[in-house]
Amino acid sequence: MNSLVLPHRAARLVLRPHAEADASWLLQVYSRPEVARYLLDDPWTAEIARKKTSERIAKTDLDGDAGALALVIEHDQTPVGDVILWFTDRERRSAEIGWVLDPDHGGKGLATEAVRAVLDLAFDHYRVHRVAAQMDGRNMASAKLARRAGMRHEAHLRQDWWSKNEWTDTVIFGVLAGDRT
């Protein structure tokens, strides 16, 4: 399969690989308690931002060694969030997607556009069979985004995850290659 050419352009966005310089804006976003609330990590420190940025830098091709594609979402040459696609079962072409958008850039449809673009890459370029998104059941904004991006609500797991000293629900959305025809 041909390598993906990056950056990838969507209507209003550029999706590009991470770079070391992204650690500072990632820290600004991921250190915010309202962003970290529904994530597995606590708010980031500068050290964690450097480590997580380095991890993302290596994720440049779903079919590459890392089995993951981590992209910065840029709007008007400004980073506004990131989206990651990774294989959960490479042999059967099953993947998961996750995203974070800077709340200062919310309400403009940018995250929906980015997720749709990455789903298009998953199905059209990488020939993935299925993409799932799992999230904290309280994260209504992400659930709405998943629906807007064309994903179907498939499951609601009650108190299945111990996170930040409490039991939380997980909701799962999914989309199949065949759903998009």
Side-chain angles (χ1 to χ4, degrees):
M1 185 171 299
N2 293 337
S3 269
L4 179 64
V5 176
L6 294 172
H8 179 76
R9 300 195 186 289
R12 299 176 296 158
L13 305 173
V14 172
L15 301 171
R16 64 161 176 83
H18 285 75
E20 285 185 29
D22 291 319
S24 61
W25 74 264
L26 285 167
L27 175 61
Q28 289 177 351
V29 173
Y30 281 87
S31 66
R32 295 169 69 161
E34 69 271 24
V35 171
R37 178 177 183 203
Y38 300 127
L39 301 177
L40 299 179
D41 295 329
D42 288 321
W44 287 10
T45 63
E47 181 181 332
I48 291 171
R50 284 188 298 274
K51 179 180 181 258
K52 296 281 190 177
T53 302
S54 291
E55 290 171 1
R56 282 167 165 77
I57 288 170
K59 297 175 179 177
T60 59
D61 186 2
L62 193 62
D63 282 326
D65 292 340
L69 179 64
L71 299 170
V72 173
I73 305 165
E74 283 189 349
H75 175 65
D76 291 337
Q77 300 177 336
T78 300
V80 298
D82 65 339
V83 60
I84 303 175
L85 179 72
W86 66 96
F87 274 127
T88 54
D89 185 335
R90 188 186 298 247
E91 182 181 344
R92 290 173 186 80
R93 311 300 290 173
S94 184
E96 189 168 336
I97 191 170
W99 53 79
V100 168
L101 186 77
D102 181 339
D104 293 342
H105 296 277
K108 301 172 191 168
L110 300 175
T112 302
E113 184 177 330
V115 170
R116 284 179 179 156
V118 173
L119 289 172
D120 287 345
L121 291 173
F123 294 114
D124 299 339
H125 180 80
Y126 289 109
R127 303 293 182 220
V128 169
H129 167 68
R130 169 187 163 75
V131 177
Q134 297 189 56
M135 63 201 69
D136 187 305
R138 301 168 294 180
N139 192 342
M140 294 296 146
S142 271
K144 288 177 183 176
L145 189 158
R147 284 186 181 94
R148 284 192 309 269
M151 302 182 88
R152 295 180 185 180
H153 181 250
E154 295 182 340
H156 186 131
L157 308 175
R158 298 172 46 226
Q159 295 186 8
D160 70 314
W161 193 259
W162 182 254
S163 179
K164 300 176 184 164
N165 296 314
E166 65 179 320
W167 285 107
T168 61
D169 293 3
T170 300
V171 291
I172 301 170
F173 289 83
V175 59
L176 302 173
D179 293 339
R180 300 169 56 84
T181 56

